[in-house]
Structures are given as C-alpha cells and as structure tokens.
Amino acid sequence: MTLHLQNVGRCIGNQWIVRHLAFQIGNDECLALVGPSGCGKSTTLRLIAGLDPVSEGSIAIGGHDVTKLTPAERSIGMVFQSYALLPHLSVFENLELGLKIRNVQCKDRSIRIQRVLDLLQLSDRASHRPAQLSGGQRQRVALARALIRDPEVYLLDEPMSNLDAQLREGIRPELRRLVLEQQKPTIYVTHDQHEAMAMANKIAIINHGQILQLDTPINLYKNPNSLFVAQFLGRPQINCLKPSDNQIQAIRPEDLKFDDSGLPCRLLSREWLGNTQLLYLASSEGDLRMIMDPSFECPERLFVRWDPQKAFYFDRETGKRIP
Amino acid sequence: MTTLLLLLLPSMLFMAGVFALPLARYLWLSFHADSVMTGLVAIPNDGANWNRFLNDLRYWQDLGQTLRFAVASVTLELLLGLAIALLLNQPQRGRALIRTTSLIPWALPTTVMALGWRWIFNTPYGPVNRLFESVFGHSLNALGEPSLAWLTTVYADVWKTTPFVALILLAGLQTIPSDLYEAARLEGAGALTCLKKITLPLLLPYLGLALMFRMAQAFGVFDLIQVMTGGGPASSTESIALYAYWNALRFLDFGYSATIMIGSFIILTMMVAIAWVVIATARRRSVVGAPS
Ligand SMILES: Nc1ncnc2c1ncn2[C@@H]1O[C@H](COP(=O)(O)OP(=O)(O)O)[C@@H](O)[C@H]1O
Ligand SMILES: [Mg+2]
C-alpha cells in the first residue's frame, strides 16, 4: 500500500494555500511534515483525508485514485490536534461510534474496542469521559479511534502539541513503535523539528504551502537545499554570517573550532546545558553560536575558525543553496 | 468571617429586597382579606383565601390554559429556533445581515407587536380574514373563536420569540468545534447522524437554557394576551397572570390576588423541582451506565 500525491494544490479565492505537493510514501514509511504555523500542514492532511476539495493534482492510495472520493471511502485514520473526542460520550462510546456508523456487528465492535484499549493501556478507562482523562490518555484515545478502523493511511496532525514537553518525550517511543507496527503509510505533522527527526524516516519541510525539501532527516541536516531548511533543522540554530557578493555563508555551531589564527570574537553570554554549553559570540561577521564541552572555561576574547568545506553557501535573494 | 459577611451584605440585602420581601409580604397577604369590602385594610381571615383558591375552577382552568400556551409556544419556538439556528450556522454570504434582521420581531415591544397582530387577525377587517374569505368563501374568526384564539396567541408569541431562541442556539452551535464533525465524516456519518450524535447532545445545555427562559416567561404571559384578546373569548385565553391582575386591579381584591400569586409560585416551583430531578437522574444514569 502506498500513498501517492501528484502535484496536489488547494486554492481558496485566488490564493494558493498549498501547491505542487508531490511525494510517495510506502508501507513502512512515516513522513513528517514540518514547517512554521500556517504554512499549510493541516491543509495537506485535510486534502489527503478528503475533508477539503483538491483544486489541482491527484491523490492515490494503493494505486487507486481517490481524489474524487468522499472521506469515508478513503480509509483514513486521522488523529486531530484537538483530539476531537465527543465530551458527552465515554471512551468506549467514542470508539464505538465510528464502528456503529460503519455498521460493524455489535459483537465484533466490542472485540475490536477491547483489543485497541488493551493495546493502548486504556482498558480501565473505558467508562470514563474525556474530561476525566489526563492529556496523555486523551491523546491515546484519539489514536485508538484511528487504529480501530484499521485504515490504509494514518494522518496525525500535531498529535502531541497539547502535551507538556516531558510527557511528549515519554510518549514518543511508544507512539513510534505503534505507528511502525501498523505497516501503513503515515504522515506525521508537527512544527517541532526535534519530534519530526525522532518520529519519521523522511521529513518534508514546508513553507508558504510548498515543500522546500523532502529527504531523510540526516540528509536534510547534512545537505539542506535552502537557507530556510538549514535554519529549520538543528538546534542551536545554524550561524549565518554577514552576506558578501550576494552570498550567505552558514555554518553549524558544532563545526566552529578554537584557533588562534581564526576570526577574533568576544564572548557575549553562555548557556550551560548540562552535557554541553552554548556560547554566544560577537564577531565582525555577526553573532555566532558555538557548542563546547561543559567544563570549558571560556575567556572573554577568543578566536574561532571553521573548515570551509563544512560551511553552506546560499543565494542572498532566493535563499537557494549554491553548490 | 465578619469581613466576608460584610462584603456579602449589600447583595444579600438586595436579594432580600427584590425577592424575599415581596414574597413574604404576599404570603402574609394571602392569609388576609384585603379588598373594597374591608375598606382595603388587611384583616386575617383564617385561610379563607386558600380555601377559595383550591376550589376556584376558573383558576384551574386558567392554569391549564397557561400551561397549554406555554408548552405549545415553547415547543414550536425550540423546533423553529433550532432549524433557523442550523441554517444560520451554515457558512453563507449575508449571514450577519440575516442574523441581525431576524432579531427585529424580538426587539419590538410586546404591546406594539400584539396590537399589530390584533389588527392583522381582526374579523372582518384584518388582512388575514380578507385573504381567508377570498380563498375559502367564509370568514375566519381567529380571535373570537375559543378553539382558534389560543392558537393565534401562540402564533404571535412564536413569531416574536423564535429569533431569541434561535440566537441562543446559534451561540451554542458556534461553540461546537468543527473537527468533531470532520472526525465523524471520516467514518461516513451523514447529516442526520451528526445531528443526533454531535449537535443535539452538545447543544443540550443551550436548549435547556432557552427552555428555562422561555418557560418562565410563557408561564407568566400577560401583555401579549391582555392586548390581543384581553383573556377572551369567554376567558378561553386567560392566563394566571391575567387572572391575578384582574383580581387585584379590577375587583380590588388584593388578598385573593396575593393567594393566586403565591399558589402559582408554589406550583411552578414544584414543576421546576420535578424537572430537575428527572434531568439529574437521566444524567447520572448516562454517566454510570456506560458499558464496561
Ligand atoms: N477555509 C480557509 N479559508 C481561507 N484560508 C484558509 C482556510 N483554511 C486554511 N486557510 C489558510 O491556510 C493557511 C494554512 O493553514 P493550515 O494548513 O491550518 O496551517 P498549519 O496547519 O501548517 O498551521 C493558513 O494561513 C490559513 O489561514
Ligand atoms: Mg495545523
């Protein structure tokens, strides 16, 4: 089973919300869509789910063109950012509703619900209402509702954005295992690059409704095709030097080294991060971020240099990579 | 503690002033004769008012008529209001304009609109009768026929108050997140399923609110009926508020009028209490009774 998008776009009025979306995801793949808020991530999912009409292009699931099909005919399991659970129904009833709508036999319903509740460790919460659950449990119920219909494609729209950072990190491995176990094409939307790298084996960076680059996390990091991608992936953020000749040179913080023959810098501030420390330096090329050993006592004035091979060069106007 | 009481005092005094005091005064008055016969001086009369009240067929008939009016008009208003709210909740051009103009009937003073309807339904000169005559060949006595007059008052009340109900329900509809419907669409839920499983349950608090507001108002209906029919024909549209008013200000029998008010207050309170218990039981059952 594959999910295949060809030149998909959505236009409202005379404005393209997303355009030229094209990618293919296989059975064992999880694609993360990342990009700033409002860049069109949710819209992309809604197009695939059939909740919004496609203005151009086509969508195929398992080789079948589904562009004109209704959402129910597409076999999509979707987890909404807000979870979209019915507040007046119990966990059990929330899961049951979709099966009822699709006329699943009563006995079959209970078996399937029980299996999914067990899988997600929610069995003792079956009769609770969403309001009586913690954020993490609600998120699992939303996931359970997607799993229970055994769809061909999974779409997860910022499934963890309502959870606190610690919980998110705890849930991440579990969620990844569950998603991978399904062996179905999965799209995972997030605005958190860290989450994207952890969850997905491919990442698409989106800005202004267009995919800037789609590749494995490591290739994106090592080989960004634009300044936006370089800045979006990697924390602390990549250093951009003062433009010269319409070029911007960018260098990752970890690629900066001390060297007495290098660029003179002044220490602005330092952040101790436990296993590393982050130095903020001022130089004639602009402010620089640099990663150092945590025990290192940084002097007020110092010199840094870097291997020009490791730097990236971007066009100042377009932001495109210059080879 | 003293500060707390001190801070609460103004609002408690206010509540006492507007609720408890008149109620106590009426309760006291209901055990006294206070009419032209007594020179408008309150004289204790050993519960004679209450005796009369319990055996006052006109009162019990009025109570039935009031309930009939309240149930009919509020039911229609909720149904129509819901339909209008659902329509107005659809994204469409000119929605704001429709929403604003639909409130005009509600913004009109009741007396003014009741006068208008009285003229429209007038027999033989009103336009409704004219139209009816030209179509069916005989006249329609919409306000003079007991079996029709109460329906005409219900009609006028529905016309006036449906926009108010629709507005409350529209506010409720707009609190329902759209992704609930989208999740249901993914499963293939149709409009009817969505209405039954999502819209109505989530709208329930708003329906309850509208029901309570409207029931309380309809139970005490006065001006609309006073203007349109004056309680007639043959007191077939008379409401309990109208009857209490007549006793006090036509017959100048303040003692008995107070008895009617207090009696109606007790009956209304009992009805609210029963409704409360029924709703609370239903709600508790639906929380506990989920399958396991
Ligand atoms: N129905 C709509 N009408 C007009 N603009 C819309 C509509 N839906 C989404 N948009 C716009 O499309 C853009 C992308 O939205 P969305 O896909 O929700 O972004 P994301 O999920 O990446 O934060 C936003 O700028 C939003 O304002
Ligand atoms: Mg979004």
Side-chain angles (χ1 to χ4, degrees):
Chain A
M1 221 33 91
T2 57
L3 172 67
H4 194 172
L5 269 71
Q6 274 178 310
N7 193 35
V8 170
R10 166 144 168 89
C11 186
I12 298 178
N14 53 4
Q15 194 195 353
W16 287 94
I17 308 286
V18 294
R19 201 170 190 188
H20 303 315
L21 299 173
F23 52 78
Q24 184 159 1
I25 320 176
N27 249 345
D28 46 354
E29 283 186 309
C30 177
L31 173 74
L33 296 184
V34 273
S37 196
C39 72
K41 305 181 295 290
S42 297
T43 305
T44 306
L45 292 197
R46 297 170 58 84
L47 290 175
I48 298 170
L51 294 171
D52 285 343
V54 170
S55 309
E56 67 174 23
S58 68
I59 301 168
I61 297 175
H64 296 287
D65 190 338
V66 299
T67 318
K68 296 275 180 315
L69 297 187
T70 65
E73 291 163 340
R74 296 189 186 197
S75 187
I76 301 279
M78 191 156 172
V79 176
F80 291 83
Q81 184 173 357
S82 58
Y83 309 145
L85 302 174
L86 290 169
H88 59 287
L89 298 184
S90 68
V91 169
F92 188 96
E93 291 164 328
N94 261 291
L95 296 177
E96 192 181 29
L97 184 60
L99 298 177
K100 267 188 185 164
I101 292 171
R102 279 180 294 115
N103 293 320
V104 176
Q105 290 286 308
C106 181
K107 216 177 79 194
D108 205 16
R109 286 205 298 260
S110 306
I111 295 171
R112 283 168 76 169
I113 293 171
Q114 202 51 56
R115 196 167 54 211
V116 123
L117 287 176
D118 285 341
L119 182 67
L120 292 171
Q121 292 146 32
L122 285 166
S123 304
D124 56 336
R125 292 285 179 275
S127 57
H128 288 52
R129 296 190 183 202
Q132 300 167 305
L133 302 177
S134 70
Q137 287 166 340
R138 257 176 258 175
Q139 194 256 347
R140 292 215 297 279
V141 178
L143 188 63
R145 188 174 53 188
L147 289 170
I148 202 166
R149 74 168 294 184
D150 194 22
E152 302 297 346
V153 173
Y154 286 94
L155 305 175
L156 294 86
D157 193 353
E158 310 209 20
M160 303 213 269
S161 62
N162 286 333
L163 306 179
D164 59 64
Q166 202 177 348
L167 193 56
R168 226 180 297 184
E169 216 161 289
I171 287 179
R172 218 155 47 198
E174 192 188 344
L175 187 61
R176 182 173 46 198
R177 181 181 56 78
L178 264 169
V179 165
L180 286 180
E181 264 175 17
Q182 305 309 314
Q183 290 281 313
K184 296 281 162 64
T186 302
I187 300 189
Y188 189 100
V189 165
T190 171
H191 59 254
D192 178 357
Q193 50 118 0
H194 197 120
E195 210 172 288
M197 294 208 248
M199 289 298 301
N201 34 27
K202 276 188 187 166
I203 297 179
I205 310 267
I206 304 188
N207 198 20
H208 299 310
Q210 306 227 15
I211 296 182
L212 296 182
Q213 193 173 5
L214 192 161
D215 213 327
T216 59
I218 191 143
N219 282 348
L220 284 179
Y221 190 77
K222 289 197 165 157
N223 230 337
N225 70 357
S226 60
L227 185 59
F228 187 86
V229 173
Q231 284 180 322
F232 204 85
L233 288 189
R235 290 287 174 278
Q237 216 179 38
I238 196 164
N239 294 304
C240 295
L241 306 186
K242 269 209 184 113
S244 65
D245 305 333
N246 263 335
Q247 267 191 17
I248 297 175
Q249 188 182 170
I251 180 80
R252 298 263 180 219
E254 64 270 26
D255 291 332
L256 292 181
K257 298 280 178 280
F258 290 123
D259 190 323
D260 285 347
S261 63
L263 179 70
C265 293
R266 186 166 53 83
L267 179 68
L268 286 177
S269 70
R270 42 191 286 202
E271 285 172 13
W272 189 69
L273 300 174
N275 52 357
T276 55
Q277 64 175 321
L278 174 56
L279 305 178
Y280 289 91
L281 310 172
S283 79
S284 61
E285 291 285 342
D287 289 354
L288 299 174
R289 287 169 291 268
M290 183 175 178
I291 298 272
M292 274 308 294
D293 194 77
S295 57
F296 176 74
E297 280 301 326
C298 188
E300 266 311 294
R301 304 201 166 271
L302 63 159
F303 302 89
V304 300
R305 58 172 297 137
W306 57 91
D307 180 357
Q309 294 285 309
K310 289 192 171 165
F312 305 117
Y313 300 88
F314 300 100
D315 188 288
R316 188 182 176 183
E317 300 287 320
T318 64
K320 289 264 184 299
R321 177 91 175 268
I322 300 166
Chain B
M1 195 61 201
T2 10
T3 345
L4 187 71
L5 282 178
L6 219 62
L7 286 171
L8 277 175
L9 201 63
S11 56
M12 276 162 66
L13 279 180
F14 180 76
M15 295 296 271
V18 295
F19 283 121
L21 217 61
L23 215 59
R25 158 85 184 154
Y26 267 50
L27 186 62
W28 178 84
L29 205 55
S30 74
F31 288 97
H32 291 74
D34 184 355
S35 65
V36 261
M37 312 284 256
T38 68
L40 294 183
V41 175
I43 301 167
N45 67 354
D46 257 349
N49 286 337
W50 284 101
N51 211 358
R52 179 179 161 197
F53 175 73
L54 292 176
N55 296 303
D56 187 350
L57 287 182
R58 181 162 173 188
Y59 174 80
W60 297 106
Q61 187 194 327
D62 285 356
L63 179 66
Q65 282 164 191
T66 309
L67 283 176
R68 180 180 69 176
F69 171 84
V71 170
S73 59
V74 173
T75 308
L76 283 172
E77 281 158 21
L78 284 182
L79 287 176
L80 278 174
L82 180 63
I84 292 172
L86 286 171
L87 277 178
L88 284 182
N89 199 35
Q90 303 296 321
Q92 73 209 6
R93 257 180 298 160
R95 190 164 70 161
L97 186 71
I98 299 173
R99 206 152 49 192
T100 316
T101 49
S102 70
L103 267 180
I104 290 176
W106 184 62
L108 278 180
T110 310
T111 322
V112 173
M113 76 97 188
L115 270 173
W117 284 116
R118 189 174 83 179
W119 162 242
I120 291 170
F121 282 113
N122 180 282
T123 311
Y125 303 112
V128 169
N129 182 53
R130 287 262 160 85
L131 190 71
F132 195 87
E133 264 182 343
S134 66
V135 175
F136 297 100
H138 59 96
S139 73
L140 173 82
N141 203 353
L143 288 170
E145 184 77 43
S147 59
L148 279 180
W150 79 276
L151 283 173
T152 310
T153 57
V154 166
Y155 171 83
D157 193 62
V158 169
W159 181 84
K160 178 178 167 56
T161 341
T162 301
F164 169 74
V165 175
L167 205 71
I168 289 187
L169 297 184
L170 183 62
L173 284 177
Q174 287 176 346
T175 65
I176 303 179
S178 61
D179 51 12
L180 293 181
Y181 295 102
E182 286 164 0
R185 265 174 73 199
L186 285 178
E187 310 284 357
L192 206 62
T193 313
C194 285
L195 185 69
K196 238 171 49 190
K197 297 289 181 182
I198 303 173
T199 309
L200 287 181
L202 292 183
L203 208 55
L204 210 56
Y206 294 86
L207 283 165
L209 192 73
L211 182 74
M212 218 166 63
F213 265 117
R214 288 298 310 132
M215 268 299 179
Q217 269 181 334
F219 197 75
V221 63
F222 175 78
D223 40 7
L224 178 88
I225 289 175
Q226 169 75 353
V227 172
M228 278 186 81
T229 66
S235 59
S236 67
T237 57
E238 188 169 271
S239 70
I240 47 179
L242 217 61
Y243 187 43
Y245 162 82
W246 275 49
N247 271 291
L249 295 169
R250 277 290 271 277
F251 312 142
L252 292 179
D253 190 341
F254 294 100
Y256 189 53
S257 178
T259 314
I260 293 173
M261 293 308 240
I262 294 292
S264 304
F265 174 76
I266 293 169
I267 292 169
L268 189 61
T269 310
M270 271 174 5
M271 290 196 311
V272 169
I274 291 171
W276 191 275
V277 170
V278 168
I279 291 171
T281 323
R283 187 168 297 169
R284 198 166 323 119
R285 191 169 304 145
S286 71
V287 173
V288 178
S292 54

